[in-house]
Amino acid sequence: MIDDLARVEIALDRAVETDFAFLDRIARHLIAAGGKRVRPGFCVASAATGLDPAVAVSDDVITGAAAVELVHLGSLYHDDVMDDATVRRNVTSVNAEWGNHRAILAGDYLLARASELAASLGTEVAALLATTIARLCDGQIRELQDTRNVARTLEDYERSIAGKTASLLATACRIGGISGGVGRADIDAVTEFGHSYGIAFQIVDDILDVTATEAELGKPAGNDLLEGTFTLPVILAMESADGAQLRELLGTDLDSDAHGRALVLIRASGGVEAARDHARAWADKAAAALTSLPDTLGTHALQAAAGHLVERAALPS
Ligand code: GRG
């Protein structure tokens, strides 16, 4: 599967190629910066759940893997505009380097290239990717609508992250299964895995925003709270026995002093530990979705990913 991921890099390189040098450069900016390539990895691994280890995945699977990474990239370009982010993947963000207008259009360009790739895989994959882009927008808009909402609930949060994060991870797995010729029941199993993994993944990401440093994250820490995005550890802290003081603080415009005090209250509330329990439960659910799959390298790779997530969520704060 290592070779398969090298094939994805070649597919990404070809997909964004254009003879307009500036667009070529801006479109490649975050591809070149790296990233974990979780979504292409899941696409390839899902296809490989039905394969003998000696057999490489088909070119269609590589095309699907590149398409999901391009949608992810497009969403990062847009997300960084919305957050006015300055750093992404440890490099200057596209908006900070070239401005919001160019970042939005370059993000659109990546989505368009992703759509071309998906169309080459047939109507089922093309429609699935289009539906997923709609879900990303749905989840992100839900989050925006809940900005500074101290009454935001666990259900509100989970609906938002199901769209903005889990939908693309589920689709990465599903496209791998479909384009890899996996049986229908197994396609549904990897899709369920991707969804549950995606929920756990976002909860872990949100915990790290409260607990980790900028150096560990590759982007500024504590940003969600400053933006007024109340994620799971914050929601659970607000619902805890001593939550009233935190709710009152978060109901005001946070200056840096209030931001620091809010972080102290959140860390002392047990909200981080409670959020970790949720992440662990979703990661366990993801692992459980794999039990009916054949005993192959692809299945092992997905199992290992679920295991690592649980480990990450178990880190001390
Ligand atoms: C235009 C497709 C599109 C969407 C518009 C902006 C938006 C709506 C949605 C934002 C979705 C978003 C950025 C969700 C966060 C998902 C997330 C946890 C990203 C980080 O993923 P990693 O850790 O990043 O896999 P790397 O850099 O490793 O790939």
Side-chain angles (χ1 to χ4, degrees):
M1 276 185 297
I2 306 280
D3 286 350
D4 294 330
L5 288 178
R7 289 164 67 201
V8 174
E9 295 306 312
I10 295 167
L12 285 170
D13 189 62
R14 286 195 186 133
V16 298
E17 191 171 20
T18 156
D19 58 9
F20 177 18
F22 174 71
L23 179 55
D24 198 81
R25 182 159 170 227
I26 191 169
R28 287 177 194 287
H29 184 68
L30 282 191
I31 298 178
K36 299 181 286 296
R37 302 288 195 259
V38 173
R39 295 151 192 83
F42 277 9
C43 185
V44 166
S46 296
T49 57
L51 284 181
D52 188 279
V55 180
V57 299
S58 68
D59 286 343
D60 278 0
V61 173
I62 301 299
T63 300
V68 292
E69 182 67 10
L70 290 174
V71 170
H72 173 53
L73 282 163
S75 78
L76 295 182
Y77 279 38
H78 287 188
D79 195 48
D80 287 345
V81 169
M82 292 173 63
D83 289 351
D84 215 5
T86 54
V87 178
R88 171 69 75 172
R89 291 182 168 173
N90 286 309
V91 298
T92 307
S93 63
V94 174
N95 50 303
E97 184 82 36
W98 291 288
N100 285 348
H101 291 177
R102 288 169 182 81
I104 291 166
L105 289 166
D108 291 342
Y109 173 77
L110 296 173
L111 291 179
R113 290 300 192 204
S115 306
E116 282 180 357
L117 294 183
S120 77
L121 299 176
T123 50
E124 184 181 6
V125 170
L128 179 57
L129 205 70
T131 302
T132 307
I133 293 171
R135 287 197 179 127
L136 284 166
C137 295
D138 174 298
Q140 187 76 355
I141 293 170
R142 280 177 195 280
E143 181 174 290
L144 268 183
Q145 290 304 95
D146 268 342
T147 304
R148 295 191 206 293
N149 176 12
V150 293
R152 192 180 197 205
T153 64
L154 167 68
E155 290 71 29
D156 297 329
Y157 170 79
E158 281 191 352
R159 264 191 103 166
S160 167
I161 68 170
K164 76 166 200 170
T165 306
S167 65
L168 188 55
L169 285 152
T171 291
C173 295
R174 191 163 189 87
I175 290 179
I178 295 168
S179 47
V182 166
R184 280 282 143 181
D186 290 352
I187 290 175
D188 288 342
V190 293
T191 307
E192 171 62 30
F193 164 84
H195 170 78
S196 296
Y197 180 96
I199 300 278
F201 185 77
Q202 186 61 59
I203 296 174
V204 170
D205 207 64
D206 292 338
I207 291 172
L208 291 175
D209 192 70
V210 173
T211 62
T213 63
E214 176 162 352
E216 285 163 338
L217 292 178
K219 59 180 185 181
N223 210 39
D224 293 334
L225 208 53
L226 280 177
E227 297 288 323
T229 304
F230 301 151
T231 60
L232 192 57
V234 181
I235 292 170
L236 297 176
M238 287 194 293
E239 286 175 359
S240 72
D242 300 324
Q245 197 187 346
L246 179 63
R247 280 198 303 277
E248 196 180 325
L249 196 57
L250 295 182
T252 63
D253 262 349
L254 285 187
D255 58 20
S256 80
D257 178 53
H259 179 245
R261 276 187 289 136
L263 277 178
V264 170
L265 286 174
I266 292 162
R267 288 177 184 145
S269 69
V272 169
E273 292 73 15
R276 220 174 256 148
D277 289 343
H278 280 268
R280 203 173 290 117
W282 280 104
D284 288 347
K285 201 163 179 243
L290 303 172
T291 48
S292 61
L293 293 176
D295 190 17
T296 56
L297 276 186
T299 305
H300 292 179
L302 297 178
Q303 280 162 343
H308 290 147
L309 197 52
V310 178
E311 278 168 31
R312 242 179 120 210
L315 291 175
S317 30

